Amino acid sequence: MATTLVIAAAPVRLPSGPAFPPGRHGFGGTPPIRAILQQDEDCTKPSTTVAEAKPWTRSALGLTRSWRLSRGAGVLVAVVDTGVDGSTPAPADQVDAVGAASKDCVGHGSFAAGLIAAAPQPGTGVVGIAPAARVLSVSLDARDALTEAVAYATEHDALVVAPAAPDIAPSESGSSRPDPTAWPYFLAFIPQVLFVADYGPQGGRPEGAPQPFAPDLAAPGDSVVSVGPGGEGHFIGSGSSLAAANVAGAAALVRARSPELSAGQTVDRLEHSAYPSDVPRLDLYVALSSVGGADRATAPRGASAQVELPEPHSQVPRTRAVAIAASAGIFLAPLVAAMVVVPRGRARSWRSAGR
């Protein structure tokens, strides 16, 4: 079973802040999602705002035509975050959890899981990139344990995605401030990780956003809308961790459509098909319709991708998805065990994966 591991809130620390200024994102009244709570704060309350319109990310990612090729069936996405609330309607039937990760007092993990795999709901245009994928909710805060989990995952052909910059806290004036304590939590020393930077509806990043650390790819991550803990309402958020969630969803679509690709080849596909920019931007449809898959360690960076234009409503993705789903239980158990019980601090011999 193809697996993608997205490291969302675990490597970042986001101070709480007030709501986004009205009119900045087109979803007035939508409450902001948090990554952590202050000691005197209660758990995040369910949102009472339902976003009826389609978020800008649907057109930016080309989801309508991309879903003709793949919806992520048979792929497992492990979300290392604050947990995923099992009572959230949109992704509820698609989520498994390890221990306490079935609860989400903060809400950030539920938000990220919704970006990846939220199912369509009546009365709203909010839906995940890979609505047929499954989500595994995991909570790991200790750096050593997280590093060990990433090591095990990459050794077993799991694609690992992480944010390339700390998330930011919005202020009442519309400016944003990074949390300086976030940097020590970053996984920048691990060459196997795909690092993702964020951008917003206007193509740029928020004012005051910290510079990303050596990003491999950029994806929508600012003023993005998703589900949250409890209820049927929606939240809005910004940050590289949310862009990483969107790339994880994109990787799920690619791995479902092309299960013969290794994790490294999938990264190559995402990078080589990306739209040229200072930081290459995710081009999901081109990634899905490309053919071939040179290994990440040998493929020349910047090589042009060949594009295959399938017939409308092709049955090929559906047939492959069934074959992948049949092996769903094979990979889950060892990955969960590694994330939870792998001894901390055990020295490993890291090998570069072509970076």
Side-chain angles (χ1 to χ4, degrees), residues 225-237:
V225 180
S226 183
V227 297
E232 300 180 357
H234 296 98
F235 292 80
I236 190 166

Side-chain angles (χ1 to χ4, degrees), residues 154-241:
T154 55
E155 289 172 1
H156 290 77
D157 199 38
L159 193 162
V160 183
V161 187
D167 280 354
I168 54 176
S171 68
E172 293 177 343
S173 65
S175 62
S176 305
R177 54 189 175 89
D179 175 18
T181 65
W183 290 107
Y185 295 91
F186 268 49
L187 301 174
F189 54 91
I190 301 179
Q192 293 91 336
V193 176
L194 175 64
F195 285 96
V196 180
D198 53 302
Y199 68 86
Q202 306 304 318
R205 303 182 69 233
E207 179 185 352
Q211 290 298 312
F213 178 88
D216 301 297
L217 203 62
D222 300 325
S223 297
V224 295
V225 180
S226 183
V227 297
E232 300 180 357
H234 296 98
F235 292 80
I236 190 166
S238 287
S240 289
S241 68

Side-chain angles (χ1 to χ4, degrees), residues 270-300:
L270 294 171
E271 291 184 342
H272 294 162
S273 62
Y275 185 83
S277 184
D278 291 342
V279 178
R281 298 195 173 191
L282 174 67
D283 192 327
L284 180 54
Y285 184 75
V286 174
L288 285 169
S289 56
S290 298
V291 295
D295 191 87
R296 184 176 187 175
T298 59

Side-chain angles (χ1 to χ4, degrees), residues 21-130:
R24 243 180 104 185
H25 46 74
F27 288 89
T30 308
I33 199 66
R34 312 291 183 89
I36 63 170
L37 299 175
Q38 302 300 327
Q39 292 183 352
D40 58 346
E41 286 186 290
D42 295 328
C43 290
T44 299
K45 296 179 180 179
S47 171
T48 59
T49 302
V50 174
E52 298 179 0
K54 295 180 180 179
W56 69 274
T57 50
R58 286 190 61 165
S59 60
L61 292 167
L63 292 185
T64 299
R65 60 177 182 168
S66 294
W67 286 334
R68 290 171 48 194
L69 306 180
S70 175
R71 296 177 70 87
V75 177
L76 176 71
V77 182
V79 179
V80 183
D81 209 304
T82 60
V84 177
D85 193 326
S87 66
T88 301
D93 295 336
Q94 303 148 253
V95 178
D96 297 308
V98 178
S102 62
K103 305 294 183 182
D104 186 10
C105 179
V106 179
H108 194 277
S110 300
F111 189 95
L115 288 175
I116 296 166
Q121 297 291 308
T124 176
V126 178
V127 62
I129 290 182

